[in-house]
Amino acid sequence: SQQGEEDPQALSIQEGENATMNCSYKTSINNLQWYRQNSGRGLVHLILIRSNEREKHSGRLRVTLDTSKKSSSLLITASRAADTASYFCATAPRAQKLVFGQGTRLTINP
Amino acid sequence: NAGVTQTPKFQVLKTGQSMTLQCAQDMNHEYMSWYRQDPGMGLRLIHYSVGAGITDQGEVPNGYNVSRSTTEDFPLRLLSAAPSQTSVYFCASTLSGGITEAFFGQGTRLTVV
């Protein structure tokens, strides 16, 4: 079974709006990571947040982590057409293995 | 740096054939993994390796074999291809397992007919 589950499965917004995706996980973690996948391509790492951090920023990305609720959110501000992609959260319930959720498919409409 | 390189990019196999998907990384990472991605299923871990000579099973290992004779290479072997193995396969490497970022190859799209 998947460790992480993203919500929603699909999201469609207008360019310039903010996009929020959520991730829930089941076991304790060392960190939680977010990745982007453009159609037909490999995954690209976006941001890593450690279990003792609550919020992290990188450019237009803002990630929060609530370990008490076992959940994380990824906020993309001022969305652009180039942000159209699938977004995955990943956790390592055991240090060696990175386990991915099913992803959120984000579409930015011009 | 090339990062993680997978070959081939596309492959069609007949049921029962065997083949090897190649994966190489030039970042001197100890940890390497193979995932398969199916529609609506996200990425599922097939096998992983924490260093040369050490491999372990992931979530969906049946029908696949791996070995790690060098730090750079981590090939995935399909022993007897089945239509259920039609998928996109990704290789990834990390410096330190799940506690550092993973670098992915561009994927191999495999169709078994």
Side-chain angles (χ1 to χ4, degrees), chain A residues 1-2 9 30-31 33 35 37 40-46 48 50 86 88 91-92 94-103, chain B residues 31 33 35 37 40-45 48 50 56-59 90 94 96-107 109:
Chain A
S1 62
Q2 302 287 137
Q9 291 187 347
N30 172 277
N31 67 77
Q33 304 181 32
Y35 289 79
Q37 183 182 35
R41 308 295 297 273
L43 277 72
V44 174
H45 181 264
L46 294 176
L48 181 154
R50 304 197 185 283
S86 292
F88 295 87
T91 59
R94 289 174 56 192
Q96 295 94 344
K97 300 193 296 184
L98 200 58
V99 181
F100 288 80
Q102 296 182 10
Chain B
Y31 294 77
S33 308
Y35 295 87
Q37 184 176 33
M41 297 292 293
L43 277 78
R44 292 185 291 171
L45 182 64
Y48 66 101
V50 301
D56 204 349
Q57 295 181 351
E59 184 184 358
F90 288 99
T94 67
S96 185
I99 63 175
T100 52
E101 67 176 286
F103 294 81
F104 281 81
Q106 290 301 299
R109 186 174 295 274

Side-chain angles (χ1 to χ4, degrees), chain B residues 34-104:
Chain B
W34 277 102
Y35 295 87
R36 61 177 288 174
Q37 184 176 33
D38 302 297
M41 297 292 293
L43 277 78
R44 292 185 291 171
L45 182 64
I46 305 172
H47 284 286
Y48 66 101
S49 169
V50 301
I54 307 170
T55 64
D56 204 349
Q57 295 181 351
E59 184 184 358
V60 288
N62 292 341
Y64 307 95
N65 198 6
V66 293
S67 60
R68 185 95 178 271
S69 56
T70 67
T71 299
E72 293 78 19
D73 300 300
F74 190 42
L76 177 72
R77 281 181 286 278
L78 279 69
L79 308 173
S80 177
S84 61
Q85 294 178 304
T86 293
S87 188
V88 182
Y89 292 84
F90 288 99
C91 178
S93 74
T94 67
L95 181 62
S96 185
I99 63 175
T100 52
E101 67 176 286
F103 294 81
F104 281 81

Side-chain angles (χ1 to χ4, degrees), chain B residues 10-30:
Chain B
F10 301 94
Q11 183 71 49
V12 178
L13 287 179
K14 294 182 178 179
T15 297
Q17 285 185 319
S18 62
M19 80 159 294
T20 299
L21 279 62
Q22 302 291 345
C23 176
Q25 53 92 8
D26 62 359
M27 296 172 284
N28 203 31
H29 286 171
E30 289 294 326

